[in-house]
Amino acid sequence: MSTTTVNVTGMTCGGCAASVRTEIGRIDGVGSVAIDLADGQVTVESASPIERAELVAAVARADYAVTD
């Protein structure tokens, strides 16, 4: 199991978080996506490490941006 954490800007509500969670969840191997709206932190657990570019692209599809 691999864990990756990124910071995402612009999420302000549960709907925002759901959009990001859905797009990241479409990446092969993702088991869970936890989002902390207060600090914009997104933690992804997956079967194997996920390329940062894949996460950035998934977040962009949800109309948000990775900041770190």
Side-chain angles (χ1 to χ4, degrees):
M1 188 65 79
S2 178
T3 302
T4 305
T5 302
V6 294
N7 290 318
V8 176
T9 60
M11 296 185 300
T12 58
C13 67
C16 300
S19 294
V20 171
R21 187 178 295 111
T22 297
E23 291 300 331
I24 292 175
R26 291 181 175 156
I27 298 171
D28 285 339
V30 169
S32 69
V33 180
I35 298 177
D36 183 337
L37 279 176
D39 63 10
Q41 194 170 65
V42 178
T43 303
V44 181
E45 291 194 7
S46 55
S48 60
I50 296 174
E51 294 290 327
R52 179 177 170 81
E54 279 188 279
L55 281 175
V56 169
V59 170
R61 284 192 301 273
D63 292 324
Y64 298 95
V66 173
T67 61
D68 58 354

